[in-house]
Amino acid sequence: MEPVRDARVARGMSLDDLIELYRDIHGFMAGHLYEAISILREGLAKSELRILTFTANIVATGLRGIIAQLVESGLFNVIFTTAGTLDHDIARAEGGIYYKGFFEADDRVLAEKNIHRLGNVFIPVENYGPKVEGFVRRLVEEASKESREWPLYKLLWKAGSMISDENSILRAAWKAGSRIFVPGWPDGAFGTALFMEAQRGSGVKIDYYGDMKELSDIFFTSKGYATGLLIGGGISKHHAIWWSQFRGGLDYVVYITTAVEYDGSLSGARPREAISWGKVKPEAKKTVVYADATIVLPIIAYALLGSQA
């Protein structure tokens, strides 16, 4: 057994030194965070299939740039996320400004002033829906010149190629050649805007079976190891581990969550439960970090990006 060591901070210490302190502190989530970094470093270095999942709420924060950095670096080549990621990424790429707010705001006053609230982030109405709708209209115009039917992941590459914002996740995926899968794509402004364009007769048809065919090609044929960093829960987390069962499960997996497992929800389910479904291998290296992703993901990203950061 390794003893717990008392940690001390020092002026001018590096972030690398801080990460090592978490190993010494060990207790509660400190040790889990250090273990998560160790698992990801080993797994990403060895794996052909490198999966990143996250939910849209963190894309409304400054983490958007860090996620784009992780994607563009090539550390992850398959990404699962929720519909709101498309909305926030496009709205902000189109110049929509999100503001620092507070949880205790009077939402009736915000509604009167045409401001959406996402936690403690304020989003003026004109910086959200209209930005997404305008972009989708241009996207459809360009995409329809090539084809009237698109798998969504390819349409998202097309979208990324039309974005100049270096902090855009869609642009990062296009540049890196990483595929983004959004199983719940109709559940947001992007999906609704695609539908509205189709109603006008100028839209494109989404071939969602094309996405599933791509996923089956990825997961049924992948060789070697597979690593997953799963941030948050919901459909993006489940889609990743659902498809992973068809290759025998993940070999390395880290969950970052604030959900508990005791209500039986997928969001709170731990990797050990996924073993019973064949989604994580029994011998897999795995851990859960119970923490707010806005706090721990920058530390993890720094540790993974290394000299690229």
Side-chain angles (χ1 to χ4, degrees):
M1 295 178 65
E2 184 178 349
V4 172
R5 296 183 178 88
D6 292 324
R8 298 177 72 91
V9 297
R11 184 177 300 277
M13 68 186 299
S14 69
L15 189 49
D16 296 288
D17 294 332
L18 179 63
I19 290 168
E20 289 300 317
L21 281 191
Y22 286 116
R23 178 182 182 179
D24 291 341
I25 295 167
H26 179 74
F28 319 125
M29 284 300 106
H32 284 236
L33 177 56
Y34 183 85
E35 183 182 27
I37 290 170
S38 299
I39 289 171
L40 290 169
R41 278 174 167 166
E42 179 180 335
L44 292 173
K46 295 171 64 174
S47 296
E48 169 192 346
L49 180 54
R50 304 177 304 279
I51 301 165
L52 175 66
T53 84
F54 53 92
T55 48
N57 55 330
I58 60 176
V59 181
T61 76
L63 276 187
R64 172 175 174 257
I66 292 175
I67 295 171
Q69 200 175 359
L70 286 169
V71 173
E72 188 173 350
S73 73
L75 279 174
F76 299 94
N77 54 13
V78 176
I79 296 102
F80 294 92
T81 190
T82 53
T85 287
L86 307 181
D87 298 350
H88 298 310
D89 193 60
I90 291 169
R92 297 180 70 185
E94 289 289 288
I97 300 173
Y98 289 19
Y99 294 93
K100 297 175 183 179
F102 48 97
F103 287 100
E104 300 81 9
D106 188 328
D107 291 280
R108 292 170 297 181
V109 172
L110 292 178
E112 291 170 0
K113 294 183 178 294
N114 291 319
I115 296 174
H116 302 308
R117 180 175 67 84
L118 197 165
N120 62 348
V121 175
F122 291 173
I123 308 170
V125 170
E126 67 270 18
N127 289 355
Y128 182 65
K131 297 288 187 184
V132 178
E133 292 161 10
F135 179 87
V136 169
R137 189 168 297 116
R138 297 196 308 276
L139 173 62
V140 166
E141 289 174 1
E142 292 299 316
S144 61
K145 295 174 184 176
E146 301 177 35
S147 177
R148 300 295 295 184
E149 187 169 345
W150 290 73
L152 187 69
Y153 78 93
K154 287 189 175 180
L155 186 63
L156 296 182
W157 272 339
K158 182 69 176 178
S161 73
M162 295 170 57
I163 293 173
S164 59
D165 178 8
E166 293 293 334
N167 288 315
S168 165
I169 297 166
L170 290 173
R171 176 180 170 81
W174 165 67
K175 289 181 69 176
S178 299
R179 288 148 290 187
I180 296 181
F181 297 98
V182 188
W185 64 269
D187 187 31
F190 181 88
T192 301
L194 281 178
F195 169 71
M196 291 300 182
E197 291 302 311
Q199 293 299 101
R200 296 187 182 98
S202 60
V204 294
K205 182 178 180 182
I206 300 301
D207 172 22
Y208 194 64
Y209 283 160
D211 283 58
M212 297 185 74
K213 174 63 166 60
E214 185 71 7
L215 284 167
S216 67
D217 289 346
I218 291 168
F219 283 87
F220 279 101
T221 63
S222 71
K223 306 298 182 183
Y225 296 102
T227 296
L229 170 57
L230 283 55
I231 306 166
I235 193 171
S236 51
K237 173 187 175 183
H238 185 259
H239 224 55
I241 58 177
W242 175 262
W243 280 99
S244 293
Q245 70 182 310
F246 299 120
R247 63 168 309 283
L250 291 168
D251 300 280
Y252 298 85
V253 61
V254 170
Y255 291 178
I256 300 174
T257 187
T258 56
V260 298
E261 68 173 336
Y262 301 108
D263 58 4
S265 70
L266 183 279
S267 295
R270 300 181 186 183
R272 67 187 186 195
E273 182 176 313
I275 292 173
S276 72
W277 293 83
K279 299 169 183 175
V280 171
K281 291 181 178 178
E283 68 275 14
K285 293 189 176 182
K286 58 191 181 298
T287 196
V288 182
V289 181
Y290 287 99
D292 181 339
T294 61
I295 297 172
V296 298
L297 186 58
I299 298 172
I300 293 172
Y302 173 86
L304 297 182
L305 289 167
S307 60
Q308 298 181 53

